Amino acid sequence: SAVISQKPSRDICQRGTSLTIQCQVDSQVTMMFWYRQQPGQSLTLIATANQGSEATYESGFVIDKFPISRPNLTFSTLTVSNMSPEDSSIYLCSAGEGPEQYFGPGTRLTVT
Amino acid sequence: RKEVEQDPGPFNVPEGATVAFNCTYSNSASQSFFWYRQDCRKEPKLLMSVYSSGNEDGRFTAQLNRASQYISLLIRDSKLSDSATYLCVVRAGANNLFFGTGTRLTVIP
């Protein structure tokens, strides 16, 4: 199993600003994932972050808006850039080797 | 069309009842299937994987019908602690996990 922590747990930000979310895994993992979960909605994959290569973004998500770093096998960051109220959501980091994925506790973002 | 479709509920059932959730998926090439549980304001956690032969874990039984692209979860003898949202999850590639919108269950004393 993997234990995943995220910082911050929540934040309230003004439109036009950026927020960087950190994700730390207690073991080395090849792949880390960033998801978004909007109120009452399912989880949507934003991108897959592999160490040593650029992140792979899903349709509807672009690097300029959601730049991702993956400097080593236990850590990743997601930045939500030039925020608007539509970016208000829970952002979840995930990692897993094999069939099971483990999730961080999420970052609850509110953009005003 | 959504990759994974679930009845969002809510399902409100009395303690001790049996309740079943269903899920359909659109990609016939999907390889792995799971049920996750998400408590209010918490992250999703794996409840059980779903195998073609069907599998059981205590009060929980999961079944997969590949021909109909249909997955089910049966909870017997419901407990108050079973109250949560149950997410149907399908893997259709190395990275691609698709989540249903979840079915909310409330077990009533």
Side-chain angles (χ1 to χ4, degrees):
Chain A
S1 65
V3 177
I4 302 176
S5 59
Q6 282 184 238
K7 289 195 298 187
S9 59
R10 60 177 62 233
D11 208 341
I12 300 172
C13 302
Q14 290 191 340
R15 69 173 67 211
T17 62
S18 298
L19 174 72
T20 296
I21 303 167
Q22 299 179 11
C23 177
Q24 181 76 51
V25 187
D26 70 342
S27 57
Q28 293 186 340
V29 291
T30 305
M31 291 158 62
M32 295 178 71
F33 307 89
W34 287 98
Y35 288 85
R36 181 171 74 183
Q37 187 173 28
Q38 296 184 306
Q41 303 287 320
S42 183
L43 281 77
T44 301
L45 181 64
I46 297 171
T48 302
N50 293 333
Q51 195 267 337
S53 62
E54 285 207 358
T56 304
Y57 289 83
E58 297 300 309
S59 175
F61 299 96
V62 295
I63 188 171
D64 290 344
K65 176 68 176 177
F66 297 101
I68 287 171
S69 79
R70 181 79 200 275
N72 57 52
L73 290 173
T74 63
F75 187 79
S76 179
T77 68
L78 170 76
T79 299
V80 186
S81 303
N82 187 24
M83 288 183 282
S84 67
E86 293 71 35
D87 295 321
S88 298
S89 187
I90 299 172
Y91 292 85
L92 293 133
C93 169
S94 171
E97 303 285 308
E100 181 169 0
Q101 279 196 12
Y102 301 91
F103 288 84
T107 296
R108 186 176 295 271
L109 171 62
T110 302
V111 183
T112 61
Chain B
R1 184 181 174 188
K2 292 182 180 178
E3 293 280 348
V4 180
E5 303 224 33
Q6 286 182 256
D7 180 348
F11 285 67
N12 300 316
V13 303
E15 268 188 290
T18 295
V19 61
F21 306 139
N22 303 319
C23 163
T24 58
Y25 60 95
S26 61
N27 187 344
S28 60
S30 299
Q31 300 156 341
S32 309
F33 309 88
F34 312 92
W35 284 100
Y36 274 71
R37 169 186 171 138
Q38 186 172 25
D39 291 291
C40 187
R41 294 180 174 265
K42 299 285 189 181
E43 71 274 21
K45 293 185 179 178
L46 179 67
L47 177 66
M48 58 197 305
S49 299
V50 187
Y51 304 113
S52 296
S53 55
N55 48 300
E56 190 173 306
D57 183 2
R59 297 181 293 108
F60 298 84
T61 301
Q63 296 217 310
L64 166 65
N65 184 322
R66 283 189 182 269
S68 301
Q69 295 181 199
Y70 170 96
I71 304 159
S72 66
L73 176 68
L74 183 78
I75 305 175
R76 290 181 300 278
D77 188 23
S78 300
K79 311 291 185 192
L80 296 177
S81 57
D82 294 334
S83 297
T85 296
Y86 291 83
L87 301 166
C88 178
V89 184
V90 173
R91 185 189 296 275
N95 301 340
N96 295 352
L97 270 188
F98 295 97
F99 287 78
T101 52
T103 299
R104 181 179 289 184
L105 171 67
T106 301
V107 181
I108 304 164

